[in-house]
Amino acid sequence: MPTVVFEASEFGPAVSAEAGAGRLIDACDDARAPVVFSCRDARCGICRVEVVEGEQHLEPPGRGELDLLERLGALPRLRLACQAVLRAGPGLVRLRGVIGRGG
Ligand code: FES
């Protein structure tokens, strides 16, 4: 299972979690990650995160995520934490929330 590290932000301290394959949002909720959510449905974009390390441990973005990231000019470096999906297997994913960082 991948280890997911959420860097500290103005919304909370850094945390890490051992996450199973599946929705990144569940790992965020379980770890009380310093990532902000609102719609949780690829509509608002507030949950944008930069994948600092370990992009290969995430499934490619789906259509809804791609559409919003494109509209926000956030491709290719950002993902939506409410939509991204972790792949199974060992590895490290390091994420940085961009809200409040001008991202
Ligand atoms: S919480 Fe709104 S797009 Fe992710």
Side-chain angles (χ1 to χ4, degrees), residues 16-83:
S16 65
E18 300 297 318
R23 300 178 338 147
L24 179 61
I25 193 172
D26 294 333
C28 291
D29 288 344
D30 290 348
R32 303 175 68 102
V35 177
V36 178
F37 294 97
S38 182
C39 73
R40 295 177 172 248
D41 192 30
R43 288 182 283 126
C44 71
I46 200 168
C47 66
R48 296 188 307 279
V49 292
E50 179 180 2
V51 183
V52 178
E53 181 177 350
E55 185 175 336
Q56 70 272 23
H57 302 298
L58 295 171
E59 296 289 347
R63 188 73 253 161
E65 183 179 3
L66 274 176
D67 286 349
L68 181 56
L69 289 172
E70 190 172 301
R71 285 200 310 273
L72 295 171
L75 289 173
R77 66 183 182 95
L78 303 182
R79 297 293 304 266
L80 298 178
C82 73
Q83 299 298 304

Short mmCIF file of all heavy atoms in Angstrom, two decimals, residues 16-83:
data_model
loop_
_atom_site.label_atom_id
_atom_site.label_comp_id
_atom_site.label_asym_id
_atom_site.label_seq_id
_atom_site.Cartn_x
_atom_site.Cartn_y
_atom_site.Cartn_z
N SER A 16 1.04 11.90 7.43
CA SER A 16 1.24 10.82 6.47
C SER A 16 0.30 9.69 6.82
O SER A 16 -0.15 9.56 7.97
CB SER A 16 2.70 10.36 6.47
OG SER A 16 3.03 9.79 7.70
N ALA A 17 0.01 8.87 5.83
CA ALA A 17 -0.94 7.78 6.02
C ALA A 17 -0.56 6.61 5.14
O ALA A 17 -0.06 6.81 4.02
CB ALA A 17 -2.35 8.25 5.68
N GLU A 18 -0.77 5.42 5.64
CA GLU A 18 -0.68 4.22 4.82
C GLU A 18 -2.05 4.06 4.17
O GLU A 18 -3.04 3.86 4.88
CB GLU A 18 -0.33 3.00 5.66
CG GLU A 18 0.99 3.12 6.40
CD GLU A 18 2.16 3.23 5.45
OE1 GLU A 18 2.18 2.50 4.44
OE2 GLU A 18 3.05 4.05 5.72
N ALA A 19 -2.12 4.17 2.85
CA ALA A 19 -3.41 4.18 2.18
C ALA A 19 -3.52 2.98 1.26
O ALA A 19 -2.57 2.63 0.57
CB ALA A 19 -3.57 5.48 1.38
N GLY A 20 -4.69 2.38 1.24
CA GLY A 20 -4.94 1.33 0.28
C GLY A 20 -5.27 1.92 -1.07
O GLY A 20 -5.45 3.13 -1.22
N ALA A 21 -5.37 1.06 -2.07
CA ALA A 21 -5.79 1.52 -3.38
C ALA A 21 -7.20 2.08 -3.26
O ALA A 21 -8.02 1.57 -2.50
CB ALA A 21 -5.77 0.37 -4.38
N GLY A 22 -7.45 3.15 -3.98
CA GLY A 22 -8.79 3.73 -3.95
C GLY A 22 -8.72 5.23 -3.93
O GLY A 22 -7.70 5.84 -4.25
N ARG A 23 -9.81 5.83 -3.53
CA ARG A 23 -9.96 7.27 -3.64
C ARG A 23 -9.03 8.02 -2.69
O ARG A 23 -9.01 7.75 -1.49
CB ARG A 23 -11.40 7.65 -3.34
CG ARG A 23 -12.39 7.01 -4.27
CD ARG A 23 -13.85 7.33 -3.99
NE ARG A 23 -14.11 7.75 -2.64
CZ ARG A 23 -15.06 8.63 -2.33
NH1 ARG A 23 -15.80 9.16 -3.28
NH2 ARG A 23 -15.27 8.96 -1.08
N LEU A 24 -8.32 8.97 -3.25
CA LEU A 24 -7.42 9.80 -2.43
C LEU A 24 -8.21 10.56 -1.37
O LEU A 24 -7.71 10.77 -0.26
CB LEU A 24 -6.64 10.76 -3.33
CG LEU A 24 -5.68 11.71 -2.62
CD1 LEU A 24 -4.60 10.94 -1.87
CD2 LEU A 24 -5.06 12.67 -3.65
N ILE A 25 -9.41 10.95 -1.67
CA ILE A 25 -10.20 11.72 -0.72
C ILE A 25 -10.43 10.92 0.57
O ILE A 25 -10.47 11.49 1.66
CB ILE A 25 -11.55 12.18 -1.35
CG1 ILE A 25 -12.21 13.23 -0.47
CG2 ILE A 25 -12.46 11.01 -1.63
CD1 ILE A 25 -13.44 13.87 -1.12
N ASP A 26 -10.54 9.61 0.46
CA ASP A 26 -10.72 8.80 1.67
C ASP A 26 -9.46 8.83 2.52
O ASP A 26 -9.54 8.90 3.75
CB ASP A 26 -11.08 7.36 1.28
CG ASP A 26 -12.45 7.28 0.61
OD1 ASP A 26 -13.31 8.15 0.87
OD2 ASP A 26 -12.64 6.35 -0.20
N ALA A 27 -8.28 8.79 1.87
CA ALA A 27 -7.02 8.88 2.61
C ALA A 27 -6.91 10.26 3.26
O ALA A 27 -6.44 10.38 4.40
CB ALA A 27 -5.83 8.63 1.68
N CYS A 28 -7.34 11.29 2.57
CA CYS A 28 -7.31 12.64 3.14
C CYS A 28 -8.20 12.72 4.38
O CYS A 28 -7.80 13.26 5.41
CB CYS A 28 -7.80 13.67 2.11
SG CYS A 28 -6.71 13.95 0.73
N ASP A 29 -9.40 12.20 4.26
CA ASP A 29 -10.33 12.25 5.39
C ASP A 29 -9.78 11.44 6.56
O ASP A 29 -9.81 11.89 7.71
CB ASP A 29 -11.70 11.72 4.98
CG ASP A 29 -12.45 12.68 4.07
OD1 ASP A 29 -12.08 13.87 4.00
OD2 ASP A 29 -13.41 12.23 3.42
N ASP A 30 -9.29 10.24 6.29
CA ASP A 30 -8.80 9.37 7.37
C ASP A 30 -7.61 10.00 8.08
O ASP A 30 -7.47 9.87 9.30
CB ASP A 30 -8.40 8.00 6.81
CG ASP A 30 -9.60 7.19 6.35
OD1 ASP A 30 -10.75 7.58 6.67
OD2 ASP A 30 -9.39 6.17 5.65
N ALA A 31 -6.74 10.67 7.31
CA ALA A 31 -5.52 11.25 7.89
C ALA A 31 -5.73 12.68 8.39
O ALA A 31 -4.81 13.26 8.95
CB ALA A 31 -4.40 11.24 6.84
N ARG A 32 -6.92 13.22 8.18
CA ARG A 32 -7.18 14.63 8.50
C ARG A 32 -6.14 15.52 7.82
O ARG A 32 -5.49 16.39 8.43
CB ARG A 32 -7.20 14.86 10.01
CG ARG A 32 -8.23 13.98 10.71
CD ARG A 32 -8.17 14.12 12.20
NE ARG A 32 -8.60 15.44 12.62
CZ ARG A 32 -9.79 15.73 13.14
NH1 ARG A 32 -10.67 14.76 13.26
NH2 ARG A 32 -10.08 16.93 13.50
N ALA A 33 -6.00 15.26 6.54
CA ALA A 33 -4.98 15.95 5.73
C ALA A 33 -5.29 17.44 5.61
O ALA A 33 -6.46 17.84 5.58
CB ALA A 33 -4.93 15.32 4.33
N PRO A 34 -4.24 18.26 5.53
CA PRO A 34 -4.43 19.71 5.37
C PRO A 34 -4.76 20.09 3.93
O PRO A 34 -4.04 20.84 3.27
CB PRO A 34 -3.08 20.28 5.83
CG PRO A 34 -2.10 19.22 5.46
CD PRO A 34 -2.82 17.91 5.67
N VAL A 35 -5.84 19.51 3.44
CA VAL A 35 -6.34 19.79 2.09
C VAL A 35 -7.79 20.23 2.25
O VAL A 35 -8.54 19.61 3.00
CB VAL A 35 -6.27 18.52 1.20
CG1 VAL A 35 -6.87 18.79 -0.17
CG2 VAL A 35 -4.84 18.01 1.08
N VAL A 36 -8.16 21.28 1.53
CA VAL A 36 -9.51 21.83 1.66
C VAL A 36 -10.43 21.20 0.61
O VAL A 36 -10.06 21.07 -0.55
CB VAL A 36 -9.48 23.37 1.46
CG1 VAL A 36 -10.87 23.96 1.55
CG2 VAL A 36 -8.57 24.00 2.49
N PHE A 37 -11.63 20.83 1.05
CA PHE A 37 -12.64 20.30 0.13
C PHE A 37 -13.91 21.14 0.23
O PHE A 37 -14.21 21.70 1.29
CB PHE A 37 -13.00 18.85 0.50
CG PHE A 37 -11.87 17.89 0.28
CD1 PHE A 37 -11.07 17.52 1.34
CD2 PHE A 37 -11.62 17.37 -0.97
CE1 PHE A 37 -10.01 16.63 1.15
CE2 PHE A 37 -10.58 16.50 -1.17
CZ PHE A 37 -9.77 16.13 -0.11
N SER A 38 -14.64 21.19 -0.87
CA SER A 38 -15.95 21.84 -0.84
C SER A 38 -16.95 20.93 -1.54
O SER A 38 -17.66 20.17 -0.89
CB SER A 38 -15.90 23.21 -1.49
OG SER A 38 -17.16 23.82 -1.42
N CYS A 39 -16.99 20.94 -2.87
CA CYS A 39 -18.01 20.18 -3.59
C CYS A 39 -17.78 18.67 -3.55
O CYS A 39 -18.71 17.89 -3.62
CB CYS A 39 -18.08 20.64 -5.04
SG CYS A 39 -16.68 20.11 -6.05
N ARG A 40 -16.53 18.26 -3.49
CA ARG A 40 -16.14 16.84 -3.53
C ARG A 40 -16.63 16.16 -4.81
O ARG A 40 -16.88 14.96 -4.82
CB ARG A 40 -16.65 16.09 -2.30
CG ARG A 40 -16.02 16.59 -1.02
CD ARG A 40 -16.55 15.91 0.21
NE ARG A 40 -15.74 16.32 1.36
CZ ARG A 40 -14.95 15.48 2.02
NH1 ARG A 40 -14.90 14.22 1.70
NH2 ARG A 40 -14.22 15.92 3.03
N ASP A 41 -16.79 16.92 -5.88
CA ASP A 41 -17.38 16.37 -7.09
C ASP A 41 -16.83 17.02 -8.36
O ASP A 41 -17.56 17.20 -9.32
CB ASP A 41 -18.91 16.54 -7.03
CG ASP A 41 -19.63 15.75 -8.09
OD1 ASP A 41 -19.12 14.69 -8.51
OD2 ASP A 41 -20.70 16.20 -8.54
N ALA A 42 -15.57 17.42 -8.35
CA ALA A 42 -14.93 17.97 -9.55
C ALA A 42 -15.65 19.19 -10.12
O ALA A 42 -15.72 19.37 -11.33
CB ALA A 42 -14.76 16.89 -10.63
N ARG A 43 -16.19 20.05 -9.23
CA ARG A 43 -16.87 21.25 -9.71
C ARG A 43 -16.20 22.54 -9.25
O ARG A 43 -16.24 23.53 -9.94
CB ARG A 43 -18.34 21.23 -9.28
CG ARG A 43 -19.17 20.21 -10.05
CD ARG A 43 -20.62 20.22 -9.65
NE ARG A 43 -20.77 19.54 -8.36
CZ ARG A 43 -21.36 20.08 -7.31
NH1 ARG A 43 -21.87 21.28 -7.37
NH2 ARG A 43 -21.43 19.42 -6.18
N CYS A 44 -15.58 22.56 -8.06
CA CYS A 44 -15.10 23.83 -7.53
C CYS A 44 -13.58 24.03 -7.68
O CYS A 44 -13.12 25.16 -7.78
CB CYS A 44 -15.48 23.97 -6.06
SG CYS A 44 -14.57 22.90 -4.93
N GLY A 45 -12.82 22.99 -7.63
CA GLY A 45 -11.37 23.07 -7.79
C GLY A 45 -10.60 23.46 -6.54
O GLY A 45 -9.37 23.59 -6.59
N ILE A 46 -11.26 23.60 -5.42
CA ILE A 46 -10.56 24.05 -4.22
C ILE A 46 -9.60 22.99 -3.68
O ILE A 46 -8.67 23.30 -2.95
CB ILE A 46 -11.58 24.47 -3.13
CG1 ILE A 46 -10.90 25.38 -2.11
CG2 ILE A 46 -12.22 23.26 -2.47
CD1 ILE A 46 -11.87 26.07 -1.18
N CYS A 47 -9.79 21.76 -4.05
CA CYS A 47 -8.97 20.66 -3.52
C CYS A 47 -7.72 20.40 -4.36
O CYS A 47 -7.09 19.35 -4.20
CB CYS A 47 -9.81 19.39 -3.43
SG CYS A 47 -10.29 18.76 -5.05
N ARG A 48 -7.33 21.34 -5.19
CA ARG A 48 -6.15 21.13 -6.03
C ARG A 48 -4.91 20.85 -5.19
O ARG A 48 -4.65 21.54 -4.21
CB ARG A 48 -5.89 22.34 -6.93
CG ARG A 48 -7.00 22.60 -7.91
CD ARG A 48 -6.66 23.68 -8.92
NE ARG A 48 -6.21 24.94 -8.37
CZ ARG A 48 -7.01 25.89 -7.90
NH1 ARG A 48 -8.31 25.71 -7.87
NH2 ARG A 48 -6.51 27.03 -7.46
N VAL A 49 -4.17 19.82 -5.60
CA VAL A 49 -2.92 19.49 -4.94
C VAL A 49 -1.84 19.31 -6.01
O VAL A 49 -2.11 18.86 -7.12
CB VAL A 49 -3.01 18.19 -4.10
CG1 VAL A 49 -3.92 18.40 -2.89
CG2 VAL A 49 -3.49 17.01 -4.92
N GLU A 50 -0.64 19.68 -5.63
CA GLU A 50 0.52 19.41 -6.47
C GLU A 50 1.09 18.06 -6.07
O GLU A 50 1.29 17.80 -4.88
CB GLU A 50 1.57 20.50 -6.26
CG GLU A 50 2.81 20.27 -7.10
CD GLU A 50 3.85 21.36 -6.87
OE1 GLU A 50 3.63 22.26 -6.05
OE2 GLU A 50 4.90 21.27 -7.52
N VAL A 51 1.34 17.22 -7.05
CA VAL A 51 1.98 15.93 -6.77
C VAL A 51 3.49 16.17 -6.81
O VAL A 51 4.09 16.28 -7.87
CB VAL A 51 1.56 14.85 -7.78
CG1 VAL A 51 2.19 13.51 -7.42
CG2 VAL A 51 0.04 14.73 -7.84
N VAL A 52 4.07 16.28 -5.64
CA VAL A 52 5.50 16.60 -5.53
C VAL A 52 6.33 15.36 -5.87
O VAL A 52 7.42 15.47 -6.44
CB VAL A 52 5.82 17.09 -4.09
CG1 VAL A 52 7.29 17.38 -3.92
CG2 VAL A 52 4.98 18.31 -3.76
N GLU A 53 5.80 14.21 -5.54
CA GLU A 53 6.53 12.95 -5.74
C GLU A 53 5.52 11.82 -5.85
O GLU A 53 4.49 11.84 -5.19
CB GLU A 53 7.43 12.72 -4.52
CG GLU A 53 8.28 11.49 -4.56
CD GLU A 53 9.19 11.40 -3.32
OE1 GLU A 53 9.28 12.38 -2.56
OE2 GLU A 53 9.79 10.34 -3.13
N GLY A 54 5.82 10.85 -6.71
CA GLY A 54 5.02 9.62 -6.75
C GLY A 54 3.81 9.65 -7.65
O GLY A 54 2.87 8.88 -7.44
N GLU A 55 3.84 10.46 -8.69
CA GLU A 55 2.69 10.52 -9.60
C GLU A 55 2.35 9.15 -10.19
O GLU A 55 1.20 8.86 -10.50
CB GLU A 55 2.99 11.51 -10.73
CG GLU A 55 1.83 11.75 -11.66
CD GLU A 55 2.12 12.83 -12.69
OE1 GLU A 55 2.98 13.68 -12.43
OE2 GLU A 55 1.48 12.81 -13.74
N GLN A 56 3.36 8.29 -10.32
CA GLN A 56 3.13 6.96 -10.90
C GLN A 56 2.25 6.08 -10.03
O GLN A 56 1.78 5.03 -10.48
CB GLN A 56 4.48 6.27 -11.19
CG GLN A 56 5.24 5.83 -9.96
CD GLN A 56 6.16 6.93 -9.40
OE1 GLN A 56 5.96 8.12 -9.62
NE2 GLN A 56 7.19 6.51 -8.68
N HIS A 57 2.02 6.50 -8.79
CA HIS A 57 1.16 5.72 -7.89
C HIS A 57 -0.29 6.20 -7.93
O HIS A 57 -1.11 5.77 -7.13
CB HIS A 57 1.70 5.78 -6.46
CG HIS A 57 3.09 5.27 -6.34
ND1 HIS A 57 3.43 3.96 -6.64
CD2 HIS A 57 4.25 5.89 -6.01
CE1 HIS A 57 4.74 3.81 -6.47
NE2 HIS A 57 5.25 4.96 -6.10
N LEU A 58 -0.58 7.09 -8.85
CA LEU A 58 -1.95 7.58 -9.05
C LEU A 58 -2.45 7.17 -10.42
O LEU A 58 -1.69 7.18 -11.40
CB LEU A 58 -2.00 9.11 -8.96
CG LEU A 58 -1.65 9.74 -7.61
CD1 LEU A 58 -1.52 11.25 -7.76
CD2 LEU A 58 -2.70 9.40 -6.57
N GLU A 59 -3.72 6.80 -10.48
CA GLU A 59 -4.34 6.54 -11.78
C GLU A 59 -4.39 7.84 -12.57
O GLU A 59 -4.45 8.92 -11.98
CB GLU A 59 -5.77 6.00 -11.61
CG GLU A 59 -5.86 4.67 -10.90
CD GLU A 59 -5.34 3.52 -11.75
OE1 GLU A 59 -5.14 3.70 -12.97
OE2 GLU A 59 -5.11 2.43 -11.18
N PRO A 60 -4.36 7.77 -13.90
CA PRO A 60 -4.50 9.00 -14.69
C PRO A 60 -5.85 9.66 -14.39
O PRO A 60 -6.81 8.97 -14.03
CB PRO A 60 -4.47 8.50 -16.14
CG PRO A 60 -3.86 7.15 -16.08
CD PRO A 60 -4.20 6.58 -14.73
N PRO A 61 -5.93 10.99 -14.53
CA PRO A 61 -7.19 11.67 -14.24
C PRO A 61 -8.31 11.22 -15.16
O PRO A 61 -8.09 10.96 -16.35
CB PRO A 61 -6.86 13.15 -14.44
CG PRO A 61 -5.51 13.21 -15.03
CD PRO A 61 -4.86 11.88 -14.92
N GLY A 62 -9.50 11.16 -14.59
CA GLY A 62 -10.69 10.85 -15.39
C GLY A 62 -11.19 12.09 -16.11
O GLY A 62 -10.66 13.20 -15.93
N ARG A 63 -12.23 11.92 -16.91
CA ARG A 63 -12.74 13.01 -17.76
C ARG A 63 -13.17 14.24 -16.95
O ARG A 63 -12.82 15.37 -17.29
CB ARG A 63 -13.93 12.48 -18.58
CG ARG A 63 -14.42 13.44 -19.64
CD ARG A 63 -13.47 13.52 -20.80
NE ARG A 63 -12.74 14.79 -20.77
CZ ARG A 63 -11.60 15.03 -21.40
NH1 ARG A 63 -11.04 14.10 -22.13
NH2 ARG A 63 -11.01 16.19 -21.33
N GLY A 64 -13.90 14.03 -15.88
CA GLY A 64 -14.38 15.16 -15.08
C GLY A 64 -13.23 15.93 -14.46
O GLY A 64 -13.24 17.17 -14.45
N GLU A 65 -12.25 15.21 -13.94
CA GLU A 65 -11.09 15.87 -13.35
C GLU A 65 -10.30 16.62 -14.42
O GLU A 65 -9.91 17.77 -14.22
CB GLU A 65 -10.19 14.83 -12.66
CG GLU A 65 -8.99 15.47 -11.96
CD GLU A 65 -8.10 14.47 -11.25
OE1 GLU A 65 -8.36 13.25 -11.33
OE2 GLU A 65 -7.13 14.93 -10.61
N LEU A 66 -10.09 15.98 -15.55
CA LEU A 66 -9.36 16.63 -16.64
C LEU A 66 -10.06 17.91 -17.10
O LEU A 66 -9.41 18.94 -17.32
CB LEU A 66 -9.22 15.68 -17.83
CG LEU A 66 -8.05 14.73 -17.82
CD1 LEU A 66 -8.15 13.80 -19.03
CD2 LEU A 66 -6.72 15.47 -17.81
N ASP A 67 -11.36 17.84 -17.25
CA ASP A 67 -12.11 19.00 -17.73
C ASP A 67 -11.93 20.19 -16.79
O ASP A 67 -11.68 21.32 -17.23
CB ASP A 67 -13.60 18.68 -17.87
CG ASP A 67 -13.89 17.79 -19.07
OD1 ASP A 67 -12.99 17.61 -19.91
OD2 ASP A 67 -15.02 17.28 -19.14
N LEU A 68 -12.07 19.95 -15.49
CA LEU A 68 -11.96 21.06 -14.54
C LEU A 68 -10.52 21.58 -14.47
O LEU A 68 -10.29 22.80 -14.48
CB LEU A 68 -12.45 20.64 -13.16
CG LEU A 68 -12.40 21.76 -12.11
CD1 LEU A 68 -13.19 22.98 -12.57
CD2 LEU A 68 -12.91 21.27 -10.76
N LEU A 69 -9.55 20.67 -14.42
CA LEU A 69 -8.15 21.12 -14.36
C LEU A 69 -7.79 21.94 -15.60
O LEU A 69 -7.06 22.93 -15.51
CB LEU A 69 -7.22 19.92 -14.21
CG LEU A 69 -7.27 19.21 -12.85
CD1 LEU A 69 -6.44 17.93 -12.89
CD2 LEU A 69 -6.79 20.13 -11.74
N GLU A 70 -8.33 21.54 -16.73
CA GLU A 70 -8.07 22.29 -17.96
C GLU A 70 -8.68 23.68 -17.87
O GLU A 70 -8.03 24.68 -18.22
CB GLU A 70 -8.65 21.52 -19.15
CG GLU A 70 -8.24 22.07 -20.50
CD GLU A 70 -8.68 21.15 -21.62
OE1 GLU A 70 -8.27 19.98 -21.64
OE2 GLU A 70 -9.45 21.62 -22.46
N ARG A 71 -9.92 23.77 -17.39
CA ARG A 71 -10.58 25.08 -17.26
C ARG A 71 -9.83 25.99 -16.29
O ARG A 71 -9.81 27.20 -16.44
CB ARG A 71 -12.03 24.91 -16.80
CG ARG A 71 -12.96 24.42 -17.88
CD ARG A 71 -14.42 24.72 -17.57
NE ARG A 71 -14.86 24.33 -16.26
CZ ARG A 71 -15.33 23.12 -15.93
NH1 ARG A 71 -15.42 22.20 -16.84
NH2 ARG A 71 -15.71 22.86 -14.71
N LEU A 72 -9.21 25.39 -15.27
CA LEU A 72 -8.48 26.16 -14.26
C LEU A 72 -7.05 26.45 -14.67
O LEU A 72 -6.32 27.13 -13.94
CB LEU A 72 -8.49 25.40 -12.93
CG LEU A 72 -9.86 25.21 -12.28
CD1 LEU A 72 -9.74 24.26 -11.09
CD2 LEU A 72 -10.44 26.55 -11.85
N GLY A 73 -6.64 25.92 -15.81
CA GLY A 73 -5.25 26.11 -16.24
C GLY A 73 -4.27 25.38 -15.34
O GLY A 73 -3.13 25.83 -15.16
N ALA A 74 -4.71 24.29 -14.75
CA ALA A 74 -3.91 23.58 -13.74
C ALA A 74 -3.19 22.37 -14.30
O ALA A 74 -2.51 21.67 -13.54
CB ALA A 74 -4.81 23.17 -12.58
N LEU A 75 -3.35 22.09 -15.57
CA LEU A 75 -2.64 20.95 -16.16
C LEU A 75 -1.25 21.39 -16.57
O LEU A 75 -1.06 22.54 -16.94
CB LEU A 75 -3.40 20.44 -17.40
CG LEU A 75 -4.73 19.73 -17.10
CD1 LEU A 75 -5.46 19.44 -18.41
CD2 LEU A 75 -4.49 18.43 -16.34
N PRO A 76 -0.26 20.52 -16.50
CA PRO A 76 -0.36 19.10 -16.12
C PRO A 76 0.04 18.83 -14.68
O PRO A 76 0.03 17.70 -14.26
CB PRO A 76 0.64 18.44 -17.07
CG PRO A 76 1.73 19.47 -17.17
CD PRO A 76 1.03 20.81 -17.10
N ARG A 77 0.36 19.86 -13.89
CA ARG A 77 1.05 19.56 -12.64
C ARG A 77 0.13 19.34 -11.44
O ARG A 77 0.58 18.85 -10.42
CB ARG A 77 2.05 20.67 -12.31
CG ARG A 77 1.44 21.99 -12.01
CD ARG A 77 2.49 23.06 -11.77
NE ARG A 77 1.84 24.31 -11.45
CZ ARG A 77 1.62 24.74 -10.22
NH1 ARG A 77 2.01 24.02 -9.20
NH2 ARG A 77 1.01 25.87 -10.00
N LEU A 78 -1.14 19.69 -11.54
CA LEU A 78 -2.02 19.58 -10.39
C LEU A 78 -3.06 18.48 -10.57
O LEU A 78 -3.38 18.09 -11.69
CB LEU A 78 -2.73 20.91 -10.12
CG LEU A 78 -1.82 22.12 -9.88
CD1 LEU A 78 -2.66 23.35 -9.59
CD2 LEU A 78 -0.83 21.88 -8.77
N ARG A 79 -3.56 17.99 -9.44
CA ARG A 79 -4.64 17.01 -9.43
C ARG A 79 -5.72 17.49 -8.47
O ARG A 79 -5.48 18.36 -7.64
CB ARG A 79 -4.13 15.64 -8.94
CG ARG A 79 -3.08 15.00 -9.81
CD ARG A 79 -3.61 14.59 -11.18
NE ARG A 79 -4.74 13.70 -11.12
CZ ARG A 79 -4.65 12.36 -11.16
NH1 ARG A 79 -3.48 11.80 -11.28
NH2 ARG A 79 -5.73 11.61 -11.11
N LEU A 80 -6.90 16.92 -8.62
CA LEU A 80 -7.98 17.19 -7.68
C LEU A 80 -7.97 16.08 -6.64
O LEU A 80 -8.15 14.90 -6.96
CB LEU A 80 -9.33 17.20 -8.39
CG LEU A 80 -9.55 18.25 -9.47
CD1 LEU A 80 -10.92 18.08 -10.10
CD2 LEU A 80 -9.37 19.66 -8.91
N ALA A 81 -7.77 16.45 -5.38
CA ALA A 81 -7.72 15.43 -4.33
C ALA A 81 -9.05 14.71 -4.17
O ALA A 81 -9.09 13.60 -3.67
CB ALA A 81 -7.29 16.07 -3.01
N CYS A 82 -10.14 15.34 -4.59
CA CYS A 82 -11.44 14.66 -4.47
C CYS A 82 -11.68 13.65 -5.57
O CYS A 82 -12.64 12.87 -5.50
CB CYS A 82 -12.59 15.67 -4.42
SG CYS A 82 -12.98 16.48 -6.00
N GLN A 83 -10.83 13.65 -6.60
CA GLN A 83 -11.06 12.77 -7.75
C GLN A 83 -9.93 11.76 -7.98
O GLN A 83 -10.14 10.72 -8.60
CB GLN A 83 -11.23 13.60 -9.04
CG GLN A 83 -12.40 14.54 -9.00
CD GLN A 83 -13.73 13.81 -8.87
OE1 GLN A 83 -14.06 12.95 -9.66
NE2 GLN A 83 -14.47 14.14 -7.82
#
